[in-house]
Amino acid sequence: MTLKQLFERPTSRNIKILIIIGLILCFAVIPVMQYFTSLSGFPAQIFSSQLSFNGDSMKSFYAVTDIGIYRVTALLDYIFMVGYGTILFSVSILIARRFGVSSKIGQISVFIAICGVVAACCDGIENVFILAMLGDPTGFPSFLAISHSIFALIKWILLFISIIWNAIFGIYSLFKRNEKKAIQPNSS
């Protein structure tokens, strides 16, 4: 499948269904993840742990954490990844279709759709490193924390780009559609 085929397949109806599924996955798993994170006693905020690039910091976080409970959070995160990856991909494709295959915005939106999926994949790799660190929470080699943070950084960059792009051009496409609707009755 070439990227241009994303302007036609999957159908817009199926993409809208994917957005709903993604939203359900995200909203169902977020409170459960927050509950298990809180129950585990993990002391760090999301950015300070994911972007620490420091094995000693991660070891200090894990030293006061119930590792078995925290492991559940890391595993549940995979559901969240599927949810937000699906949402970002689907919304970007709908925006691309709104602007068309010959439009620069449409072409970039397809690229942004792929970025959303890559962000979720980087998140998955990041969690592999988390799970590896949880195997020996106070004695793991520091390269695991550094690798974890590298994939987290890539994830966050791609997430911010995707979210900002989709917000700006999603809103713009709504204005564009409303302008067309307002003009059409007058042109008859």
Side-chain angles (χ1 to χ4, degrees), residues 97-110:
R97 289 177 182 178
R98 179 75 47 93
F99 287 94
V101 69
S102 61
S103 160
K104 204 56 141 169
I105 293 174
Q107 294 169 5
I108 293 171
S109 291
V110 170

Side-chain angles (χ1 to χ4, degrees), residues 102-174:
S102 61
S103 160
K104 204 56 141 169
I105 293 174
Q107 294 169 5
I108 293 171
S109 291
V110 170
F111 175 75
I112 295 296
I114 303 304
C115 287
V117 173
V118 172
C121 291
C122 285
D123 200 353
I125 295 168
E126 170 196 341
N127 276 26
V128 168
F129 289 110
I130 290 172
L131 293 168
M133 288 186 285
L134 294 178
D136 184 5
T138 58
F140 63 84
S142 288
F143 82 88
L144 291 176
I146 294 167
S147 300
H148 155 263
S149 291
I150 289 169
F151 281 97
L153 179 62
I154 296 167
K155 168 194 75 178
W156 284 114
I157 291 169
L158 292 174
L159 276 176
F160 284 131
I161 290 169
S162 298
I163 291 168
I164 290 167
W165 179 271
N166 285 334
I168 291 169
F169 289 99
I171 292 168
Y172 178 65
S173 73
L174 292 175

Side-chain angles (χ1 to χ4, degrees), residues 167-185:
I168 291 169
F169 289 99
I171 292 168
Y172 178 65
S173 73
L174 292 175
F175 284 120
K176 184 179 169 184
R177 183 176 76 183
N178 288 338
E179 284 177 7
K180 283 184 182 178
K181 285 183 180 179
I183 293 171
Q184 284 177 347

Side-chain angles (χ1 to χ4, degrees), residues 13-32:
R13 180 181 183 276
N14 286 343
I15 286 185
K16 291 172 185 172
I17 290 170
L18 286 173
I19 291 171
I20 292 168
I21 290 169
L23 288 169
I24 290 169
L25 290 174
C26 287
F27 285 112
V29 80
I30 287 172
V32 179

Side-chain angles (χ1 to χ4, degrees), residues 16-99:
K16 291 172 185 172
I17 290 170
L18 286 173
I19 291 171
I20 292 168
I21 290 169
L23 288 169
I24 290 169
L25 290 174
C26 287
F27 285 112
V29 80
I30 287 172
V32 179
M33 287 173 53
Q34 289 174 334
Y35 171 76
F36 278 101
T37 300
S38 177
L39 191 63
S40 75
F42 187 73
Q45 297 298 317
I46 192 164
F47 288 113
S48 62
S49 67
Q50 290 186 3
L51 301 176
S52 71
F53 292 91
N54 188 311
D56 291 334
S57 293
M58 295 304 294
K59 289 173 188 174
S60 71
F61 299 150
Y62 294 145
V64 295
T65 301
D66 183 321
I67 298 303
I69 294 173
Y70 189 70
R71 187 174 284 119
V72 173
T73 301
L75 293 171
L76 287 170
D77 195 22
Y78 284 99
I79 297 170
F80 183 63
M81 293 170 214
V82 170
Y84 79 72
T86 300
I87 293 166
L88 291 173
F89 174 82
S90 300
V91 169
S92 298
I93 294 300
L94 287 177
I95 292 169
R97 289 177 182 178
R98 179 75 47 93
F99 287 94

